[in-house]
């Protein structure tokens, strides 16, 4: 049996130095774009239309979807109660990458009738002016269901042959 990465949408939140949260999203990006840009048409029609667009037109459409996704992704800190943390530094795939992905999916659909897209990674950061204890996160409805994994890394220096302090998980 072959091992596969989880194909569902997922997010990883990492609390760094008590005030900085790194967010990594792994999405079926073409499906999210379809739901944001052309939900009234079937997915196959979306693929054909957007894979054949002029790059500058596709870029305009991608920016429209990305703005919607950014505005709908919200992190609320539980302390101070309900403070919204601004997400910044978003990294999105460029139009050339997205068009190549869409074209590949069109070819897949033509050859075997099945479209498989590896997750697209998107990143953002939130920085608070206070120590973050807990947060809630909301995603755009276009992302559908998102598995959230969160953690706070722990670091310790280990010198030479000396054992480390106990490492807990």
């Amino acid at each position: 049996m072959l091992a596969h990465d989880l194909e569902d949408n997922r997010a990883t939140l990492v609390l760094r130095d008590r005030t900085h949260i790194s967010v990594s999203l792994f999405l079926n990006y073409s499906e999210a774009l379809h739901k944001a840009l052309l939900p009234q048409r079937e997915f196959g029609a979306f693929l054909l239309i957007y894979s054949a667009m002029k790059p500058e037109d596709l870029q305009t459409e991608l920016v429209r979807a990305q703005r919607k996704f950014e505005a709908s992704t919200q992190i609320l800190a539980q302390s101070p109660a309900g403070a919204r943390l601004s997400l910044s530094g978003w990294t999105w795939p460029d139009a050339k990458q997205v068009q190549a992905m869409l074209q590949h999916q069109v070819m897949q659909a033509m050859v075997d009738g099945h479209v498989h897209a590896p997750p697209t990674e998107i990143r953002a950061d939130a920085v608070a002016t206070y120590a973050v204890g807990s947060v809630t996160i909301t995603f755009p409805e276009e992302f559908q269901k998102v598995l959230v994994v969160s953690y706070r890394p722990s670091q310790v220096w280990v010198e030479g042959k000396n054992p480390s302090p106990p490492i807990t998980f």
Side-chain angles (χ1 to χ4, degrees):
M1 183 170 153
L2 297 173
H4 293 284
D5 283 339
L6 179 66
E7 291 185 17
D8 293 324
N9 292 334
R10 63 193 189 281
T12 302
L13 279 63
V14 180
L15 178 62
R16 304 182 187 281
D17 57 39
R18 299 176 31 166
T19 60
H20 176 193
I21 299 172
S22 295
V23 178
S24 298
L25 296 164
F26 300 89
L27 303 174
N28 183 326
Y29 195 45
S30 54
E31 280 190 16
L33 289 172
H34 168 235
K35 291 181 184 325
L37 299 172
L38 202 63
Q40 67 277 18
R41 300 287 300 269
E42 291 184 13
F43 183 64
F46 162 78
L47 287 177
L48 288 172
I49 292 166
Y50 280 77
S51 68
M53 273 188 178
K54 288 190 240 176
E56 57 273 10
D57 293 340
L58 179 61
Q59 180 62 39
T60 299
E61 289 293 288
L62 292 176
V63 167
R64 183 167 65 97
Q66 291 162 2
R67 285 188 180 142
K68 182 177 184 181
F69 296 155
E70 289 175 11
S72 299
T73 304
Q74 297 183 9
I75 295 182
L76 296 178
Q78 300 305 298
S79 173
R84 182 176 174 182
L85 300 179
S86 295
L87 285 161
S88 61
W90 287 90
T91 59
W92 299 96
D94 64 28
K96 187 175 183 179
Q97 292 170 308
V98 172
Q99 193 155 50
M101 174 187 66
L102 297 176
Q103 290 169 346
H104 180 75
Q105 290 177 330
V106 167
M107 290 177 9
Q108 274 186 327
M110 291 171 59
V111 171
D112 64 12
H114 175 71
V115 176
H116 168 75
T120 299
E121 184 175 3
I122 296 148
R123 294 182 174 269
D125 293 288
V127 178
T129 56
Y130 46 84
V132 175
S134 64
V135 299
T136 60
I137 189 164
T138 305
F139 297 104
E141 69 179 281
E142 294 86 356
F143 292 2
Q144 297 181 329
K145 190 166 63 170
V146 179
L147 173 67
V148 178
V149 176
S150 60
Y151 62 94
R152 181 176 182 180
S154 176
Q155 303 178 113
V156 62
W157 285 101
V158 178
E159 301 237 3
K161 292 185 178 185
N162 296 326
S164 72
I167 299 169
T168 58
F169 299 96

